[in-house]
Amino acid sequence: MSKKFHVTALAVAAALTSLQAQSAGFQVGEHSASGLGRAFAGEAAIADNAAVLARNPAASTMFKERAISGAFSIVDPAIDVESVDRDQIANDIAPPGFVPAGYYIQPINDKLAFGLGMFSNYGVTTDYSPAFHAGSLAGKTSLITVNFNPSLGYRVNEQLSLGAGISAIYGKAELNRHYGDLALAVPGADPTDKTIRMEGDSWGFGWNVGALFELDEDNRFGLSYRSRTDLDFDGDFTDYSGRITGTPNNKVPGDLTVVLPAIAEFSGFHQLNSQWAVHYSVQWTQYSKFEELRATGSQCTPGYNNNAGLCLLKEEDYDDAFRYAIGTTYTINPEWTVRGGYAYDEQAGQPTLSIPDTDRNWFTAGATYNVNSKLSVDVGIAYLIADELTFTEDDIKFESRGGAIIGSGQVNYRF
C-alpha cells in the first residue's frame, strides 16, 4: 500500500467528527431562538424559558409552574474552499442544516424541579462534489447527535440552587470518499469513483451539573459543566478499492470512537431597570482531549502500517477553545421584548477540508411576543463572519472563506 493512499485513508476518520457546525470545531450551539437573538449571552443564568435546561439544570428552580419550549433553527452556511495549486474552487461545501430542540420543566415542590431536554451539542455535514480533485480528502461527511437530558434542580436556599442531569446521546455517522487525483495511479479508476464508505450509529452516556446564584431578584450568575462523552461507533466499513481490507468492494464491521469534549460555562444576568438588562457568557470547550481517531476491524489486513485490525488512524491537533458573548435585552411593553448580541468564537483545531475551522464573529438580534400570560413566541437571527484562512492538508494548499446566516423560531407555554 502506497504512503499516499495511507495518508488519504487516515483522513477519512477525521471526517466523522466534522453538520458544518457554526461554532468552534464541530460544536452545535443552536439550542433556542431566544438565546440566538442575544448571541447565547447569559444562557446559564437568564432562565426566561425552559430552554435554559440545555445550559444549566439548576435554573429549573426558578420556574413556579410547568413550562414547555420547542425550537427549530435553520443554519445556512456559505463556505467556499479553494485548492490554490490547482486553481479549483468547491462552492457551498456545507449544505443547510436543521436543528430542532425541545424542553420541559416540572416543579415538584418549592425546592425541587424536574427537567427534560432534547437538543444537540455536536454535529457536522460537509459535501464536496465528486469531481473535486481532492476527493480522497473531501467527499461527503455527516455526523448527527441528539442528547436526551433529564435533570433535577434543587433550591438550597433563597440565593443558591444546584442541579444535575444525565445525558443519553445518540449519534449517527455517514462518510463517503472518492479517488480524485489518486485515480491517475489506479488503472481503470475514474476520479469520481468511491474509495471508501463508512456508516454506523452509537449511544453514549454522560452527565452535567450546574449552579445558580441569585444575588437579588435583578442580578444572578450561572455556572455549568457538561462531561466529555465517548461515542463508540459500530458500523459497516466498505473498502471499494480493496487496498485496506485486501478485497475490492468488501464490506466489513468497523469500530470507531469519537470524543465529544467537555463544556463549561459561566454566565451573568443583570436587570438594570424596568426595561434594560445586560447579560454575558464565557464558554470553554475541552477540545484538547480530542487527540486521535482510531478505527479498528478484524478484517482490516494488512491494516495501517501492516498492523492487522487497525483500519484507520489520524492524530488530531486541537486545543481548548473559548467563546465570549455579550448581549442586551429591552422590554418595550408587556407584549414585546427585543434583544441583540455579539459573540467571538475561537478556532479550536487545525483546519482540514472536513472542518475548515476558524475564528468566528456573531452578530445577532431577536424578539419575543407575549401572546398572553401563558404563551410566548421567540424569533432570532444571526449573521456569522468567519475569518479567511489558509491551510495545508496532505501537502495540498487550500484557502477557505465564508460565513453563515442562522434563523430560529420558538414557542413557549407555561401551565
Side-chain angles (χ1 to χ4, degrees):
M1 190 183 303
S2 69
K3 180 179 178 181
K4 176 75 171 180
F5 191 86
H6 270 309
V7 175
T8 298
L10 303 183
V12 168
L16 282 174
T17 54
S18 357
L19 178 61
Q20 178 61 35
Q22 293 310 313
S23 298
F26 48 97
Q27 195 170 6
V28 176
E30 289 74 30
H31 296 146
S32 67
S34 54
L36 181 67
R38 52 184 172 246
F40 300 105
E43 287 302 278
I46 294 181
D48 51 352
N49 56 64
V52 71
L53 290 175
R55 303 299 181 108
N56 189 356
S60 59
T61 63
M62 294 191 65
F63 292 77
K64 305 306 179 185
E65 53 190 351
R66 290 176 294 168
I68 188 169
S69 295
F72 188 80
S73 300
I74 300 176
V75 183
D76 186 16
I79 300 174
D80 301 331
V81 175
E82 180 180 358
S83 178
V84 178
D85 298 332
R86 289 288 298 272
D87 194 26
Q88 185 181 19
I89 298 178
N91 294 310
D92 292 330
I93 65 164
F98 306 94
V99 187
Y103 311 92
Y104 174 74
I105 292 177
Q106 169 72 65
I108 297 174
N109 53 43
D110 59 353
K111 286 187 174 292
L112 193 64
F114 169 78
L116 178 62
M118 183 188 72
F119 52 94
S120 177
N121 281 318
Y122 293 100
V124 63
T125 298
T126 53
D127 193 2
Y128 289 78
S129 167
F132 191 56
H133 83 92
S136 57
L137 299 171
K140 180 182 179 180
T141 301
S142 175
L143 172 69
I144 297 172
T145 68
V146 181
N147 187 351
F148 301 92
N149 191 181
S151 62
L152 288 173
Y154 178 73
R155 180 172 290 279
V156 179
N157 53 45
E158 291 186 359
Q159 292 184 307
L160 178 64
S161 295
L162 301 176
I166 57 174
S167 293
I169 303 173
Y170 174 74
K172 184 175 182 179
E174 179 184 353
L175 172 72
N176 292 293
R177 288 295 180 267
H178 305 271
Y179 274 103
D181 283 350
L182 294 184
L184 299 174
V186 181
D190 187 271
T192 62
D193 290 343
K194 291 181 181 178
T195 59
I196 195 172
R197 174 183 174 86
M198 197 166 187
E199 58 182 344
D201 57 6
S202 173
W203 282 92
F205 297 91
W207 51 271
N208 64 308
V209 294
L212 183 73
F213 182 76
E214 300 173 68
L215 187 63
D216 53 43
E217 63 179 10
D218 294 326
N219 300 276
R220 53 187 176 269
F221 304 93
L223 181 65
S224 64
Y225 178 84
R226 185 170 297 279
S227 74
R228 159 185 166 173
T229 301
D230 293 349
L231 289 181
D232 297 318
F233 282 96
D234 297 319
D236 294 324
F237 179 85
T238 304
D239 179 18
Y240 293 100
S241 69
R243 298 194 177 197
I244 296 177
T245 64
T247 304
N249 300 312
N250 194 16
K251 180 184 289 189
V252 301
D255 301 313
L256 174 68
T257 297
V258 175
V259 175
L260 306 183
I263 303 170
E265 181 172 353
F266 171 77
S267 297
F269 172 82
H270 308 283
Q271 188 72 45
L272 304 180
N273 53 43
S274 61
Q275 292 185 296
W276 285 101
V278 295
H279 26 84
Y280 45 87
S281 285
V282 177
Q283 187 182 79
W284 166 84
T285 305
Q286 196 179 20
Y287 273 112
S288 60
K289 294 298 183 181
F290 181 51
E291 298 175 340
E292 68 172 18
L293 285 162
R294 179 184 295 265
T296 59
S298 60
Q299 299 183 47
C300 288
T301 304
Y304 176 67
N305 282 350
N306 294 318
N307 187 346
L310 184 57
C311 305
L312 304 170
L313 176 64
K314 184 176 187 299
E315 295 182 355
E316 296 293 341
D317 186 12
Y318 273 69
D319 296 316
D320 295 348
F322 284 87
R323 184 181 191 274
Y324 308 91
I326 187 168
T328 185
T329 298
Y330 180 73
T331 302
I332 300 174
N333 53 45
E335 288 78 33
W336 284 98
T337 299
V338 295
R339 57 184 63 91
Y342 166 78
Y344 176 73
D345 214 350
E346 285 186 344
Q347 176 180 329
Q350 178 64 34
T352 65
L353 287 173
S354 298
I355 316 176
D357 194 24
T358 186
D359 297 334
R360 296 173 174 87
N361 292 276
W362 294 58
F363 303 90
T364 72
T368 297
Y369 176 64
N370 295 302
V371 180
N372 52 47
S373 60
K374 301 290 187 180
L375 178 65
S376 63
V377 178
D378 298 309
V379 293
I381 190 169
Y383 178 62
L384 276 66
I385 300 176
D387 290 353
E388 294 186 9
L389 73 153
T390 299
F391 61 96
T392 301
E393 186 172 1
D394 203 14
D395 298 324
I396 304 172
K397 185 178 180 180
F398 299 97
E399 291 182 353
S400 174
R401 52 188 174 272
I405 295 176
I406 305 173
S408 185
Q410 179 175 328
V411 177
N412 312 290
Y413 191 77
R414 300 195 183 206
F415 51 97

